Amino acid sequence: MCQLLGMNCATPTDITFSFRGFSQRAGVTSDHCDGFGIAFFEDKACRLFVDNQSAVESPIAELIRNYPIKSRNVIAHIRKATQGKINLENSHPFMRELWGRHWIFAHNGDLHDFQPVLTGRFMPVGNTDSERAFCYLLDQLVERFGYVEPTLDEIFAVLAEFSPQIAEHGTFNFCLSNGQALFSYATTKLHWLVREYPFKPAQLIDLDVEVDFSQVTTPDDCVAVITTEPLTQNEIWTAYQPGQMILFQYGRPVKMAETQVARLIREAENPALKRVTAADQY
């Protein structure tokens, strides 16, 4: 299956360090060779780069590794195809317009017998289960809110309602952003961390590269990184619980939700934990 990389920041930040390590998994340290893509938000719009070549071989990926585009929200994807041909229209991330903003979505997983009824407002260009799921989620948002743009909390609630239903068809890990924040959901494997002041050095796992972030940041910087597998070997990454959704804004997790099953598992492992609501905010 594919791998995901997301970044949400308090101030515009480049993702070149993380992407250098991440892109090695497209043929060097792993076999996710069936295309790649990356999207950088600039307020309501974004720059989207996709290629059906691997992120190791693509000249576009080489540009990204060396061009420090700064953004508050970034989503990247390296593909190992399970459904759909290896071509440009099936390369993640996918982009659509809603409420005058670009929306970006990338998925890791495999959905079986997932053929939702779509309204026609959002239709797949390619033939992946991922793009169908993206169109279906956007349909649900429009069905719920119409032409009035909802709050991030309202969007979060709808995603938390429908994502588990989609996950009944298989593995459903995703990153989604509208430029205001980054929504993420995992049924199997996703990890996150926050880099903040005082910053420390970080060493990539997939490449012999280290950056001392204390030398290239300010106290105002705060960066959340979300990825399928941890990218660094000297930082503490937090694994998502199965069925957990997290909303990141300004470089921090600001809202979490988990399925009832995940809560029961967590509480069974530690009965002393206080029972929380489905949307636990902190």
Side-chain angles (χ1 to χ4, degrees):
M1 285 185 273
C2 311
Q3 290 206 13
L4 301 171
L5 172 63
M7 185 178 73
N8 172 266
C9 314
T11 60
T13 304
D14 75 74
I15 200 172
T16 52
F17 173 74
S18 294
F19 187 73
R20 283 175 186 169
F22 181 68
S23 62
Q24 294 300 299
R25 299 174 181 179
V28 179
T29 59
S30 190
D31 58 352
H32 296 74
C33 306
D34 300 330
F36 94 98
I38 187 167
F40 301 85
F41 269 96
E42 296 181 15
D43 194 16
K44 296 181 178 182
C46 70
R47 305 185 191 191
L48 176 62
F49 301 88
V50 292
D51 199 343
N52 56 358
Q53 296 186 65
S54 80
V56 170
E57 300 175 347
S58 169
I60 299 173
E62 184 64 19
L63 168 69
I64 301 302
R65 282 189 287 269
N66 294 285
Y67 182 21
I69 301 173
K70 293 191 174 183
S71 173
R72 286 191 174 92
N73 289 282
V74 180
I75 293 177
H77 181 276
I78 50 176
R79 187 178 182 219
K80 185 176 180 180
T82 55
Q83 295 187 36
K85 296 180 180 180
I86 301 172
N87 51 27
L88 197 60
E89 57 261 38
N90 288 331
S91 297
H92 307 220
F94 303 106
M95 180 170 68
R96 296 292 189 276
E97 177 277 330
L98 178 59
W99 296 308
R101 296 180 180 276
H102 281 153
W103 288 67
I104 294 291
F105 176 89
H107 167 229
N108 156 236
D110 192 13
L111 301 174
H112 301 281
D113 300 319
F114 181 67
Q115 298 292 337
V117 177
L118 301 176
T119 65
R121 170 69 170 82
F122 307 99
M123 295 298 293
V125 175
N127 56 354
T128 64
D129 53 332
S130 306
E131 194 177 15
R132 287 195 300 274
F134 181 33
C135 292
Y136 177 72
L137 284 174
L138 293 182
D139 265 350
Q140 302 316 305
L141 289 171
V142 173
E143 179 71 19
R144 188 67 56 88
F145 302 111
Y147 297 102
V148 179
E149 184 175 12
T151 66
L152 293 176
D153 282 350
E154 290 172 327
I155 295 169
F156 184 91
V158 171
L159 295 177
E161 176 184 347
F162 286 97
S163 294
Q165 297 177 23
I166 297 174
E168 292 177 2
H169 293 268
T171 305
F172 193 47
N173 308 310
F174 72 76
C175 289
L176 170 70
S177 181
N178 65 352
Q180 295 176 302
L182 192 148
F183 302 87
S184 55
Y185 179 77
T187 58
T188 54
K189 191 175 291 185
L190 211 55
H191 297 79
W192 65 274
L193 63 71
V194 171
R195 296 187 181 122
E196 58 186 332
Y197 183 84
F199 291 89
K200 299 177 182 179
Q203 172 70 53
L204 290 173
I205 292 173
D206 299 270
L207 201 61
D208 186 17
V209 173
E210 180 179 281
V211 169
D212 185 354
F213 285 109
S214 68
Q215 302 300 309
V216 293
T217 54
T218 72
D220 294 329
D221 292 320
C222 188
V223 179
V225 182
I226 304 95
T227 186
T228 301
E229 297 279 4
L231 293 169
T232 55
Q233 56 190 356
N234 60 337
E235 296 180 292
I236 299 174
W237 293 80
T238 301
Y240 283 58
Q241 296 299 310
Q244 185 175 45
M245 178 170 287
I246 306 179
L247 170 62
F248 293 89
Q249 192 174 27
Y250 305 120
R252 298 181 183 278
V254 296
K255 197 174 185 68
M256 293 186 179
E258 57 188 356
T259 64
Q260 183 179 9
V261 171
R263 288 201 305 277
L264 292 174
I265 293 173
R266 176 174 55 79
E267 291 166 3
E269 292 173 346
N270 188 350
L273 288 173
K274 182 183 73 173
R275 191 171 184 83
V276 295
T277 63
D280 187 25
Q281 192 168 10
Y282 73 106

